[in-house]
Amino acid sequence: MRNAEVAGLLEEFADLLEAQGVEYKPNAYRRAADNVRDHPRAIEDLASEGGEDAVAEIDRVGDAIAAKIVEYLETGEIAELEELREDLPVDMAALTRVEGVGPKTVGTLYEELEITTLDELEAAAEAGKIQEIKGFGAKTEQNILDNVAFAREAGQRQRLGDARPLAEEVMGHLDGEAAVERLDVAGSIRRWKDTIGDVDVLVGSEDGEAVVDLFTDWPDADEVIEAGEQKASVSVDGIRVDLRVVVPEEFGSALQYFTGSKAHNVTLRNLAIDRGLKLNEYGVFDVSELRSDGQSDADASDDVSDVDDPDAGQRVGERLGGAAESEMYGALDLPVIPPELREDTGEIEAAVEGDLPDLLTEGEIRGDLHTHTEWSDGASTVAEMVQAAADYGYDYHCVTDHAEGPGVFGDTGLTDEEVREQAEAVAAVREDVDIEVFHGVEANVDADGDVTTSDDLLADLDIVVASPHAALDQGDATDRLIRAVKHPHVDILGHPTGRLINQRPGLEIDFERLAEAAADADTALEVNANPARLDLHGDAVRAAVEAGATVAIDTDAHSPAEFGNVRYGVHTARRGWAEATDVLNARDADGLRAFLDG
């Protein structure tokens, strides 16, 4: 599906229009982009079957935008977009990653100082040129300087939500081919880190050249970067995808090795050394007899950065295993440590003690407690969202549209009266479905920690999610959020930091203090599964688990297609050592009610 690709172009269109001061159109392009991205059918199939008319049937995609989409799919470019790029030749994606720099600011900076890149932006700020522009000032200039480093670093890594689907597409391309015997992802993407450098794909095969040929013939690849007998790299939409082929009997050891992390592998190898074993990408070997002949531990071991040269003593001693990853851990009398835990933060010690957590699985999530409908900024009706939740296999679903308040875009937030009107609509839908339907709201946490929706309304709702949407650059916000979790009607603190991965860092929080306060108040802390957020992140989830706080894994879905994002939330929670008992919406409806009533 090229939906995400097309949606990205529409968002670029919107940014360039906004940068040039065009009104109204940018929002139309952004709404169209959201609906194209979430549409269940491939945009290219719609265009080939029915042209512009079929594409225009997507909600909020008008005739003009549909024509541009078809133009791109047929020709590879949009003439009007190319003209906008020529008029404003800036690295829009990089510049707008700087906190406080939006498309309009980019346009002004280009007009006044001809700034097109992050380096030029930083140089202008250091020279004091930005504060001289009308409407900017020294504070804005310093804010830009403070955030350029984050923007530069963010540009070097891809969001998991962009990279994981790409990895699955390339695996789909390779899976089932005769030359491919074993297949998996490796690296940070297998550990489900929130950002990744490159996509790493590992294949077990006796015919490396055939696999490389299959890989480099992948139709979605924009460029073949390099190709050898056992390795190859391609670029897709700016993301590097690396392939490595190993013989099947070494697939398990290679998978363990290349999954990492480096720190995990070093600690695991040191444990092996203590037991007279050697672990590397080729297998696990008994080298105890070699050491009795005088070879030192240092000679028998090797750092994970060693050159993988089979002639450099990598395959020495009696080989005990390596065809399966379980053999690598089993040789050390350990269970397989889940990839999400492999960060050398105590997981090996826990495995030795037989104390690894029984991590949450995707199938244990029973419902979504934070979702939106067309009443606020969602794309679907209450009935459509509830039915989609039922079709997804959930036991219950909660509608939590935005309440009006600080940080809520435009007029999408509901008044108290509108929330009460919605309660009637939810009640009507409740009668027509087999799953339980809860009604709530996403209220707003202001800069002081106050919840800005009236207490009378909050008291009448089934579930209250309170989230920070404004003052997201205020620095340490721990006390602010502690005040919110202590509010008597708040059930869940939504996306606590307010971060957007690779776009803004979000609030600074002492997660241990927040977790302790949430545990005391019986308020759940959300793992927002939107792949642009993943907030709480894994380390914060672990702080919550260790404090005895409850977490809730919600998609913040604005359309049915986004229910599938729950997997990102589950794996983020797994990185925080969360078990099903730690997760609010892994409980059945009665267990959920008990928490809400507690």
Side-chain angles (χ1 to χ4, degrees):
M1 292 178 66
R2 302 178 67 183
N3 296 41
E5 173 189 348
V6 171
L9 288 173
L10 296 179
E11 288 166 341
E12 181 187 1
F13 218 122
D15 287 346
L16 289 170
L17 288 171
E18 183 178 343
Q20 296 186 6
V22 177
E23 297 184 359
Y24 307 118
K25 278 189 177 181
N27 286 338
Y29 276 90
R30 291 189 179 105
R31 287 193 295 267
D34 288 341
N35 290 335
V36 167
R37 180 179 285 108
D38 294 338
H39 196 71
R41 290 201 61 198
I43 190 72
E44 62 271 26
D45 291 344
L46 288 175
S48 64
E49 293 170 8
E52 296 176 17
D53 290 341
V55 173
E57 291 180 3
I58 299 175
D59 189 31
R60 300 184 181 182
V61 175
D63 293 340
I65 294 177
K68 291 179 175 63
I69 292 173
V70 172
E71 178 188 356
Y72 176 72
L73 294 172
E74 291 181 350
T75 69
E77 65 178 34
I78 302 172
E80 188 176 342
L81 178 58
E82 294 302 320
E83 292 174 4
L84 288 170
R85 288 169 172 169
E86 290 179 10
D87 292 341
L88 192 62
V90 299
D91 189 345
M92 182 67 75
L95 292 170
T96 54
R97 278 195 295 267
V98 178
E99 179 72 17
V101 176
K104 287 184 179 180
T105 300
V106 171
T108 301
L109 292 170
Y110 178 74
E111 181 179 348
E112 298 289 335
L113 300 174
E114 295 187 347
I115 290 173
T116 63
T117 67
L118 272 178
D119 289 343
E120 292 172 356
L121 178 67
E122 184 175 40
E126 289 175 340
K129 294 180 179 180
I130 292 175
Q131 63 178 290
E132 297 174 359
I133 302 173
K134 183 179 179 181
F136 281 71
K139 184 176 180 180
T140 298
E141 185 174 71
Q142 187 59 49
N143 182 66
I144 287 172
L145 270 177
D146 291 343
N147 286 283
V148 164
F150 169 83
R152 185 173 284 117
E153 181 181 353
Q156 297 173 357
R157 295 185 67 80
Q158 305 294 330
R159 295 187 312 196
L160 175 67
D162 296 325
R164 185 80 197 192
L166 183 62
E168 290 162 356
E169 287 176 20
V170 70
M171 288 199 295
H173 172 67
L174 296 173
D175 195 21
E177 297 291 341
V180 178
E181 297 184 35
R182 307 280 297 279
L183 176 66
D184 209 336
V185 292
S188 55
I189 200 168
R190 186 167 181 242
R191 303 198 313 275
W192 293 82
K193 289 196 67 174
D194 48 19
T195 64
I196 63 103
D198 304 319
V199 173
D200 297 309
V201 177
L202 185 69
V203 170
S205 175
E206 298 287 359
D207 191 348
E209 291 187 32
V211 175
V212 168
D213 288 342
L214 284 167
F215 177 70
T216 54
D217 286 341
W218 182 28
D220 289 347
D222 299 324
E223 174 191 5
V224 176
I225 299 172
E226 59 184 352
E229 294 182 357
Q230 304 294 127
K231 302 178 186 177
S233 299
V234 301
S235 176
V236 185
D237 296 334
I239 302 176
R240 181 181 174 116
V241 184
D242 294 329
L243 168 78
R244 181 181 293 264
V245 185
V246 300
V247 293
E249 58 266 29
E250 293 177 351
F251 182 83
S253 52
L255 183 62
Q256 191 283 321
Y257 179 95
F258 290 112
T259 294
S261 66
K262 179 177 179 178
H264 173 87
N265 284 355
V266 168
T267 300
L268 198 67
R269 286 180 172 208
N270 288 336
L271 181 62
I273 290 170
D274 292 341
R275 302 188 182 191
L277 303 176
K278 176 184 180 73
L279 267 68
N280 58 32
E281 65 189 273
Y282 304 105
V284 54
F285 302 88
D286 184 344
V287 293
S288 56
E289 293 187 8
L290 296 177
R291 290 182 187 150
S292 66
D293 291 337
Q295 186 179 16
S296 69
D297 282 352
D299 294 331
S301 67
D302 47 281
D303 188 83
V304 289
S305 61
D306 284 345
V307 176
D308 51 350
D309 180 359
D311 297 323
Q314 301 289 331
R315 299 182 180 94
V316 294
E318 179 187 357
R319 188 171 189 271
L320 303 180
E325 197 174 45
S326 58
E327 296 173 359
M328 303 297 290
Y329 290 96
L332 300 174
D333 299 319
L334 300 179
V336 175
I337 297 175
E340 297 94 331
L341 301 187
R342 300 181 196 177
E343 302 292 349
D344 196 33
T345 58
E347 72 279 3
I348 293 174
E349 293 82 356
V352 169
E353 297 296 325
D355 198 28
L356 283 173
D358 182 13
L359 295 181
L360 174 77
T361 64
E362 291 180 38
E364 289 177 300
I365 299 298
R366 311 291 289 271
D368 203 322
L369 304 178
H370 180 177
T371 68
H372 298 273
T373 75
E374 64 182 11
W375 280 72
S376 61
D377 60 346
S380 303
T381 66
V382 171
E384 288 168 341
M385 290 295 286
V386 171
Q387 186 57 56
D391 294 342
Y392 200 76
Y394 281 151
D395 297 336
Y396 48 79
H397 177 82
C398 187
V399 177
T400 54
D401 275 305
H402 287 286
E404 62 181 359
V408 176
F409 179 75
D411 59 354
T412 58
L414 305 183
T415 65
D416 286 9
E417 182 179 350
E418 288 170 329
V419 174
R420 293 189 186 280
E421 290 176 6
Q422 188 187 53
E424 298 177 7
V426 171
V429 170
R430 190 179 287 130
E431 299 298 321
D432 297 328
V433 292
D434 292 331
I435 68 172
E436 299 206 39
V437 184
F438 296 91
H439 183 225
V441 73
E442 183 179 13
N444 303 287
V445 179
D446 70 13
D448 297 321
D450 290 322
V451 179
T452 59
T453 302
S454 71
D455 286 350
D456 288 346
L457 174 62
L458 298 181
D460 290 341
L461 297 170
D462 298 320
I463 294 176
V464 174
V465 179
S467 307
H469 291 110
L472 298 177
D473 58 351
Q474 71 177 169
D476 187 350
T478 307
D479 290 339
R480 168 188 179 182
L481 297 186
I482 286 176
R483 184 171 183 180
V485 300
K486 288 182 176 180
H487 190 290
H489 297 310
V490 171
D491 301 302
I492 300 170
L493 181 66
H495 48 73
T497 74
R499 75 167 181 171
L500 290 176
I501 298 171
N502 285 353
Q503 291 180 252
R504 67 180 181 227
L507 297 168
E508 298 173 14
I509 300 172
D510 182 332
F511 292 108
E512 292 184 1
R513 283 185 58 212
L514 178 62
E516 289 169 359
D520 290 342
D522 283 334
T523 299
L525 299 176
E526 182 179 74
V527 179
N528 191 293
N530 183 321
R533 293 187 181 275
L534 301 184
D535 178 17
L536 299 170
H537 54 68
D539 290 343
V541 172
R542 190 165 181 186
V545 168
E546 291 178 350
T550 300
V551 298
I553 299 173
D554 302 318
T555 64
D556 198 353
H558 287 62
S559 70
E562 295 178 12
F563 286 143
N565 287 338
V566 68
R567 63 177 181 153
Y568 296 110
V570 168
H571 287 282
T572 297
R574 286 168 62 92
R575 285 180 58 79
W577 296 50
E579 301 183 346
T581 53
D582 301 311
V583 179
L584 178 58
N585 49 328
R587 305 177 187 182
D588 62 19
D590 289 338
L592 172 61
R593 286 195 193 89
F595 178 86
L596 298 173
D597 295 338

